[in-house]
Amino acid sequence: MPMDRRECWSHGRRTGILACPCLFFVQTPRRRGRTKMTRGKKRFLVGLVVLIIGVVAAIKIYRRLPSRALLVLDVGGPIDEQRPVGGQPVAARSATLLHDLTDAIDTARDDSRITGLVVKIAPLGAGWGKVQELRAHLLEFRKSKKPNICYLGEDFSGNREYYLATACDQVWLVPTAALGVTGLLSQSLFVRGTLDRLKIYPDLYHIAEYKTAANLFTEKRYTAAHREMAESLLRSALEQYVSGVAQARHLDRAQLDSLLQRGPYLAAEALSHHFVDRLAYWDEVHKVFEEKNGEWRPVSLSRYLKEVKNDGAAKLAVVHATGTIETGNSGWSLFDGFVMGSDTVAADLRRAREDDDVKAIILRVDSPGGSAVASEIIRREVDLARAKKPVVISMSDVAGSGGYWISMSGSKILAEPTTLTGSIGVVFGKFNLAGLYDLLGLSTDHLTTSENATLFWNQQNFSAAQREQVLRFMQDIYANFTKGVAEGRKMSVEAVDKIGKGRVWTGAQARELGLVDEVGDFSRALAAAKELAKIDAKTKVRLERFPKEAPWWKRWLNQEESQANALQGITSELRRLARAPQSFQVRMPDLAIR
């Protein structure tokens, strides 16, 4: 190939030998001719570029929030504090997060593009604490003077649904629906009769008389202490319910008490008693905002969350502690739902503690308790973190027994007035399955090298000596529990024991007893964390949440794996239930108020 030009290695020039200051050259071949781009190719490339620009612009326009938009929230079903960790059913993965709802409401309040709010309320799968927190944010939205409607469009809206709806300026009800405003009901399940039929004996023990978690298995109805505690909780919850509704609906307290005794009500009756403001269908909601805004421009929660900002000059960590407490990693249980693994939560607290950019930690607790050992592992990390930076405890629906254990060392503890907390006590025991085996024609034989080798054996009750040893261990755990509460709350052990004994309290009651510092929601806990970290109240902060949620594509890839492991998970759960419990439990009793 003929060579008539030289190219500089370092400067990339094709030039004469003396034209470049660099003396390193290589000969390059002469180009015989350049391929010219045809007019058709040019048109194609120009068209492709225009198409790409158009698609990008269209996506941006589509994502842009329209002016005079309306935020429409569908609130119903389960409302969770966090996404489940590990394999879980589709329903759990798709549940609404409480902080998504509250963040959207708070952002919309000050967003000039949002002209109003409509909340469609369906049967709620959340406890009173979460409902109370969500309601507080709706009440704050009212201060914006933007129109807001809570719409009850189900067959029968109960106490919790109506309590939430009263946070809106306007409560609308479908003309053919009933309003289930009635007195509250406290209910506990007992399975002792079932166990008797199956010849299963629950050899369970508890400290002390109000520690009624084992009553689910050992009793057929309320004991005197259980009834006393349930009545106290019911009265406290009713006070929150009635006072909140009376204030929001401008009803006389005595009149409301009387009306609740006679509920439920037909739609027309609910309107005449001023429980609701209007009987209307969904299309009439459309019409109101069409007249106001010129057209119906709804924005859903998932769409509006893209407008919610999480930025600020300072960073705070939010560590979620949700579910039954067990040793190991967090996950999902077929029977218990969320499982709070001590290793997972302890690691999250450790990461937040070691991050110098994190100025304070908020431990968000929603747990009925569980393993005493697992609870202490988490509490230890709270204690270590508190030595370096403030740790504020924010309680959700429930933070009792082990849920309170992990909270007691916090710098400050806040709970909703209806949060169920306390339950300072211990439960332990096993199920004797010998009768069931006999009923099924099964038999076992055994050999031992010591009397206590049968301690966890499911074919006999504890012997007298074993029972004495079990109670000794339980007393030791109770002593550690009450001592930890006394140190954390600056109380005497005797004072803690007096309000302990396994008794459950509402957040409002716990505040009076000194078990929590304030009644308040997550927003107040955030403000308290800023105060303790010496961050100006007006300074915006960025929240880093733990555990960190996996990206959507990873969650999608895990769906098939979760479904494939479903049967294996059921088998594992049944095996776990069949085994004798080998951990001392600090767990709350079964108790539902509705």
Side-chain angles (χ1 to χ4, degrees), residues 505-523:
W505 306 98
T506 63
Q509 293 171 327
R511 170 65 184 88
E512 296 298 320
L513 297 169
L515 290 175
V516 305
D517 295 291
E518 292 183 33
V519 288
D521 60 8
F522 180 83
S523 297

Side-chain angles (χ1 to χ4, degrees), residues 14 29 217 225 245 260 287 312 357 379 440 457 468-469 478 483 495 590:
R14 281 196 302 274
F217 306 106
V245 170
L260 291 176
K287 185 177 180 181
D357 291 334
R379 188 212 63 82
L440 298 175
W457 194 37
E468 183 179 343
Q469 192 157 357
Y478 184 68
K483 179 183 177 184
D590 170 66

Side-chain angles (χ1 to χ4, degrees), residues 493-560:
V493 172
E494 293 75 21
V496 174
D497 179 61
K498 187 176 180 180
I499 60 176
K501 302 183 186 300
R503 183 155 183 168
V504 181
W505 306 98
T506 63
Q509 293 171 327
R511 170 65 184 88
E512 296 298 320
L513 297 169
L515 290 175
V516 305
D517 295 291
E518 292 183 33
V519 288
D521 60 8
F522 180 83
S523 297
R524 176 57 199 139
L526 179 61
K530 291 168 69 174
E531 290 170 11
L532 293 174
K534 295 180 172 52
I535 299 173
D536 187 84
K538 296 181 180 179
T539 301
K540 292 183 65 177
V541 294
R542 177 165 57 91
L543 300 181
E544 183 171 356
R545 294 184 180 272
F546 297 90
K548 294 186 177 180
E549 187 174 336
W552 67 267
W553 58 268
K554 192 170 185 179
R555 297 198 303 271
W556 180 78
L557 289 175
N558 286 338
Q559 286 184 16
E560 290 189 5

